[in-house]
Amino acid sequence: MPRARLSPEQQAEPRRRVITLGDIAGRESGGLVVLLVAIGALTLASDEFLTGNNLSNLARQVAIFGIIAVGQLLVILTAGIDLSVGSILGLSGASTAQFLVAGMPIVPAILLGVGIGTALGVVNGLLVTRALLPPFIATLGMLGIARGIVLVSTDAQTIQGVPEAFQVIANGTILGIPNLLLVAAAVTAVMWFVLTRTVFGRYIYAVGSNPESARLAGVPVRMVTISVYMISGLLAGLGGVLLASRLGAGIPTAGTGFELSAIAACVIGGASLFGAKGSAIGAATGALIMGVLNNGGNLLAINAFYLQIAIGVLILVAVGFDQLNTRRSASSGG
């Protein structure tokens, strides 16, 4: 029996496609899947994982990484990188503790601590845009400068004796929710709004996609580049202040290696080191994945070295999938 011919309208009707998690959550979908699997596995493996005390500790541990990762994301979106965030965090935190021990009121001390991070971020941006240094070199130099300054200014000694009211900022709660988690959520929400709902956010993606085309289209490329490094420095400074509050002391070596953790969180959360791809929620998700893995490793008494291997594998897998998707899009003309 011959098949009935389809009308031109029926022939032109597109095929229905199954909606996937990637359609709903975008580039963050892979990170969300990994996060859900990790949470589910740890829930089954440890009775302590979902307890209030452990979740509170996890939130405090992840919050500072999340704040720094969101700042790092803005730089990565412009196809740059900021290796100085860990040292800036250490300098801002120790400086804030020094101001407080010297008798300065809490609010001015916090503002100065965050201001130090912001100023160093601006210097990074100027080195990249005015001195035309590669971001890797410019921020690598700032990494050494900031770490050297904090070690010299503190004589490599922990600064103790900060007021209890300052410690409450990071260790307190509101309605049972840790203050640090609220701050990290607020920073993530603000950056999500900036990137998705403002002209400045579109400028950031445009600069990361093609800076020359963006310049020809009227985008102030230099100002956008300086701004993202400034924001990265500001959030690193904020992270330093919060860490000093959480520990109740200014530690000159604080933040060592945080820059690599921030970059890893962004990549695991779906950001591309080639720029113009990534989101604030993805960066926060990546930080949460790393925090959950470290927390679970401690609960299950897993060797920390194995956790480093796992995080390294996640980074390679995330970058591999990104490259695969890029090649597929290029081959299909998408």
Side-chain angles (χ1 to χ4, degrees):
M1 184 175 180
R3 295 181 179 179
R5 290 188 176 182
L6 298 177
S7 65
E9 292 78 6
Q10 292 174 319
Q11 293 177 356
E13 184 179 351
R15 294 181 179 179
R16 292 183 179 180
R17 189 168 63 87
V18 177
I19 298 177
T20 64
L21 180 60
D23 298 319
I24 299 173
R27 294 177 62 86
E28 301 86 7
S29 59
L32 290 173
V33 170
V34 172
L35 179 60
L36 292 175
V37 170
I39 291 175
L42 289 173
T43 301
L44 295 175
S46 174
D47 295 333
E48 299 179 10
F49 179 72
L50 288 183
T51 60
N53 287 336
N54 184 64
L55 292 179
S56 179
N57 290 332
L58 175 61
R60 290 188 174 93
Q61 293 167 2
V62 172
I64 294 175
F65 280 120
I67 291 171
I68 300 173
V70 170
Q72 182 75 245
L73 171 75
L74 299 185
V75 176
I76 289 177
L77 288 176
T78 62
I81 198 166
D82 189 352
L83 297 178
S84 66
V85 291
S87 296
I88 291 176
L89 178 146
L91 176 58
S92 296
S95 298
T96 302
Q98 286 179 309
F99 297 147
L100 292 170
V101 171
M104 183 179 292
I106 293 177
V107 173
I110 291 175
L111 293 177
L112 276 176
V114 175
I116 289 172
T118 305
L120 295 181
V122 171
V123 173
N124 280 335
L126 291 174
L127 290 174
V128 172
T129 59
R130 298 294 182 178
L132 301 180
L133 295 179
F136 183 93
I137 299 301
T139 58
L140 180 63
M142 183 58 71
L143 179 154
I145 292 171
R147 185 64 67 189
I149 291 174
V150 67
L151 290 174
V152 169
S153 63
T154 62
D155 197 23
Q157 300 296 315
T158 299
I159 308 301
Q160 297 178 330
V162 299
E164 290 186 8
F166 175 68
Q167 299 180 45
V168 171
I169 295 174
N171 295 306
T173 60
I174 297 177
L175 300 176
I177 302 175
N179 292 345
L180 276 179
L181 180 60
L182 294 175
V183 173
V187 168
T188 302
V190 169
M191 289 301 104
W192 171 84
F193 180 83
V194 168
L195 290 174
T196 60
R197 297 292 186 270
T198 68
V199 174
F200 178 66
R202 291 195 291 273
Y203 283 173
I204 292 175
Y205 285 103
V207 171
S209 178
N210 190 319
E212 182 60 22
S213 297
R215 185 186 66 81
L216 295 175
V219 175
V221 175
R222 281 185 175 178
M223 186 57 63
V224 170
T225 303
I226 293 173
S227 297
V228 296
Y229 282 97
M230 179 189 72
I231 295 172
S232 179
L234 184 153
L235 293 180
L238 176 61
V241 171
L242 293 174
L243 184 59
S245 172
R246 178 171 177 250
L247 299 177
I251 300 177
T253 57
T256 302
F258 279 27
E259 58 280 342
L260 299 180
S261 296
I263 295 169
C266 293
V267 172
I268 292 172
S272 171
L273 294 178
F274 297 100
K277 295 178 181 178
S279 72
I281 295 176
T285 300
L288 189 55
I289 290 172
M290 295 177 64
V292 167
L293 290 177
N294 288 322
N295 179 263
N298 292 332
L299 292 177
L300 301 176
I302 297 175
N303 191 320
F305 299 144
Y306 290 118
L307 296 177
Q308 292 183 10
I309 294 173
I311 292 174
V313 170
L314 277 177
I315 294 172
L316 294 177
V317 171
V319 174
F321 272 117
D322 178 64
Q323 292 297 298
L324 179 61
N325 290 333
T326 300
R327 288 194 294 270
R328 285 180 175 177
S329 298
S331 62
S332 62

